[in-house]
Amino acid sequence: MSHVVVVGAGLAGLAAACHLVGDGHRVTVVEREQVPGGRAGRLTQDGFTFDTGPTVLTMPDLIDRPLRAAGSSLAQRLDLQLLDPAYRGFFADGSTLDVRHGHAAMREEIHRECGSVDAAAFDEFVGWLRRLYLAEMPHFIDRNFDRPTDLLARPRAAAQLLGMGGFGRLGPMIRRRFTDERLHRLFSFQAMYAGLAPDDALAIYAVITYMDSIEGVFFPRGGMRAVPEALAGAAADAGAQFRYGTSVTDLLRDFSGRVRGVATDDGEHVAADAVVATVDLPTAYRWWLPDVRPPRAVSGLLGGRYSPSCVVWHLGVKGVPEGKVHHNIHFGHEWAGAFEDLLKKGTLMGDPSRLVTVHSLDDEEAAPEGHSTLYVLEPVPNLEVGRVDWEAQRGPMRERLLTFLDAAGYPTDVVTEQLVTPNDWQAQGMAAGTPFALAHTFPQTGPFRPGNVDRRVPGLVFAGSGTVPGVGVPMVLPSGRLAAERVRQLVG
């Protein structure tokens, strides 16, 4: 039985552990925190519990897959609630639009708010999105690549994507389909998940729009933190060992450079036949592989491009917001100009759009009676392109967000809070101070993205948002499976 060490109990590491233990390996997961989750973490403070990482959960079948690999299932481990509406969009003219679950409900919403022409356009849009997903997911997302020419192994799927306009630009594609500008924003803001402005993102990233706008957004009973707890529980029940509160300080390598295990901060050397590392790729190379030149895209100095970062403000407040749903997107007047500020000028958005998630509306454990948790996210430049002094701007940013919340009708009697800036993300080991890793530009997508193996360091496999297939919960879960597949190739 081969022994595999997984470094990090985030979603990618937990998915990898489930698949590895299902393959018959002896698995040890080493996690520096006291609980599983990684970036999908939790904060308990003054009687409030906050989910500190991703707030939007889509495609639950991607969670079921590693659970089943470990001998469990989604039905056994998680109680999921469908959120309908998935989002409520608030616009600068005072209007609102809901993203409703199901074709018929969303079509009716568009017909009522935007008119019959856009409602009819939505019918074709849904069909296009489904075809895009079916061509993209199995052939270009959920598979390993060894070289760019591997794209040619799926010529029919590649030709289909090309014929569907998948390699055009997302923003113009949305504008060609819909006349109402609010729909342009509602169906293209997802490009930010890929680290790009809608006018720069490839149309293939409309697959993210498909995942949340068509397939639906869910919320697990017990909060988003229930997802890593479920995966960790399934892996442990199947035999995986977890070592919480332990940090990996180095990789153990033999005279040939092959990885043979890890060293931990308690002085132990843990031997392994393979190691799966889920820390940010640039951090892994900087900490553990100083003698190995990183792939080009891993370092901004060598041509890589990182996604924007964000400020997240966790607030526990007195009162419950009215007229709000679980996920609320507040769009500013500006659109193209705001992305110019963020991505090119490296400044705060002059007229930002923001996400406010109110977990406590659907999580009875999140806040005391009569109180709420607010998760307020504003996109900001990453530390490579940004010109923001976050030590000086922490206080002003708090006041900026407080003013916004008050104007938007949220309760603002703050009981407890934590403000997270790019400096904080960087201190957690995230390159360029962004939790969203490398942007999904064409040279950093698919086989051009840093691979999950480096042939110069046999025995080491990467997983997580910095490698294939990419950023976000629906990407890092397959990343764990792809890493397990690599281990299978390495040690059988």
Side-chain angles (χ1 to χ4, degrees):
M1 182 183 294
S2 301
H3 182 215
V4 184
V5 169
V6 178
V7 183
L11 296 179
L14 293 170
C18 286
H19 285 285
L20 288 165
V21 76
D23 283 345
H25 299 290
R26 184 165 62 91
V27 177
T28 301
V29 182
V30 183
E31 168 56 48
R32 65 184 177 185
E33 302 296 335
Q34 296 294 338
V35 294
R39 298 185 195 189
R42 76 185 74 168
L43 168 68
T44 302
Q45 189 169 287
D46 299 324
F48 294 82
T49 301
F50 302 92
D51 288 321
T52 60
T55 68
V56 178
L57 178 62
T58 64
M59 308 303 290
D61 60 300
L62 297 177
I63 304 171
D64 189 49
R65 192 173 185 183
L67 289 174
R68 287 188 178 278
S72 187
S73 71
L74 185 72
Q76 291 175 292
R77 296 281 175 174
L78 284 170
D79 180 6
L80 295 183
Q81 172 189 349
L82 175 69
L83 298 179
D84 189 11
Y87 303 96
R88 177 160 292 163
F90 295 83
F91 297 89
D93 63 1
S95 64
T96 63
L97 265 176
D98 285 348
V99 175
R100 298 294 312 282
H101 177 68
H103 186 159
M106 189 64 210
R107 190 188 196 283
E108 176 58 30
E109 176 80 3
I110 294 173
H111 188 277
R112 182 175 60 252
E113 299 293 337
C114 309
S116 59
V117 173
D118 279 340
F122 182 69
D123 294 333
E124 190 277 332
F125 183 56
V126 170
W128 181 83
L129 286 174
R130 286 202 174 104
R131 294 194 304 276
L132 184 77
Y133 178 80
L134 292 173
E136 196 174 341
M137 188 68 184
H139 301 296
F140 301 104
I141 294 176
D142 194 24
R143 63 171 298 220
N144 279 314
F145 291 93
D146 291 313
R147 57 193 66 83
T149 52
D150 286 351
L151 286 170
L152 302 177
R154 304 289 195 278
R156 182 175 298 179
Q160 187 176 2
L161 287 179
L162 184 64
M164 293 171 63
F167 297 103
R169 299 296 167 182
L170 178 62
M173 182 275 294
I174 297 291
R175 289 195 293 272
R176 284 195 300 270
R177 280 177 161 80
F178 300 103
T179 60
D180 194 307
E181 185 181 349
R182 295 174 299 172
L183 295 176
H184 300 166
R185 299 185 182 197
L186 212 55
F187 291 140
S188 69
F189 79 88
Q190 294 89 350
M192 285 296 296
Y193 297 153
L196 299 166
D199 279 2
D200 295 331
L202 295 175
I204 55 174
Y205 288 110
V207 71
I208 308 173
T209 306
Y210 172 80
M211 290 176 178
D212 59 16
S213 297
I214 306 303
E215 287 294 319
V217 174
F218 297 83
F219 186 68
R221 183 175 179 84
M224 292 292 286
R225 57 198 174 275
V227 176
E229 289 170 356
L231 291 166
D237 288 349
Q241 300 295 311
F242 283 79
R243 297 183 55 178
Y244 293 112
T246 304
S247 293
V248 169
T249 57
D250 207 354
L251 298 176
L252 305 177
R253 299 164 68 190
D254 64 19
F255 67 92
S256 71
R258 184 181 179 88
V259 171
R260 295 295 184 182
V262 300
T264 64
D265 58 355
D266 55 9
E268 186 178 358
H269 285 190
V270 183
D273 298 285
V275 171
V276 176
T278 67
V279 298
D280 220 9
L281 257 69
T283 303
Y285 278 91
R286 185 173 70 252
W287 286 354
W288 302 328
L289 301 170
D291 59 323
V292 179
R293 183 179 176 86
R296 176 189 59 80
V298 167
S299 171
L301 298 176
L302 298 175
R305 178 176 168 186
Y306 285 87
S307 300
S309 185
C310 63
V311 165
V312 173
W313 194 20
H314 305 287
L315 297 97
V317 298
K318 293 181 181 178
V320 179
E322 297 181 1
K324 306 299 191 291
V325 296
H326 194 104
H327 296 297
N328 307 275
I329 305 174
H330 296 262
F331 293 100
H333 283 282
E334 279 291 331
W335 192 239
F339 290 112
E340 181 83 12
D341 293 340
L342 179 67
L343 297 166
K344 296 181 180 178
K345 295 180 182 178
T347 61
L348 297 179
M349 289 178 163
D351 185 13
S353 297
R354 301 178 175 100
L355 169 70
V356 181
T357 295
V358 191
H359 282 140
S360 52
L361 291 177
D362 298 287
D363 180 2
E364 62 272 16
E365 300 174 4
E369 183 74 24
H371 294 67
S372 300
T373 58
L374 305 180
Y375 173 109
V376 187
L377 183 151
E378 178 176 325
V380 298
N382 66 48
L383 295 180
E384 286 202 347
V385 302
R387 303 176 183 178
V388 182
D389 179 352
W390 285 109
E391 292 305 316
Q393 287 300 316
R394 180 180 289 269
M397 173 57 78
R398 180 191 184 279
E399 293 307 309
R400 167 182 168 113
L401 293 176
L402 187 64
T403 300
F404 151 70
L405 288 174
D406 186 55
Y410 291 91
T412 55
D413 188 351
V414 179
V415 177
T416 192
E417 61 183 295
Q418 184 178 98
L419 185 75
V420 185
T421 75
N423 285 359
D424 299 309
W425 300 124
Q426 185 180 56
Q428 294 177 41
M430 300 178 201
T434 174
F436 305 118
L438 291 165
H440 283 267
T441 59
F442 184 76
Q444 295 175 176
T445 293
F448 305 109
R449 198 167 181 83
N452 53 10
V453 290
D454 188 323
R455 303 298 181 191
R456 300 166 296 176
V457 193
L460 177 65
V461 180
F462 296 111
S465 58
T467 184
V468 291
V471 180
V473 176
M475 299 295 180
V476 297
L477 290 166
S479 173
R481 188 195 69 79
L482 295 176
E485 185 178 282
R486 291 295 196 186
V487 171
R488 196 178 307 126
Q489 295 168 353
L490 283 169
V491 300

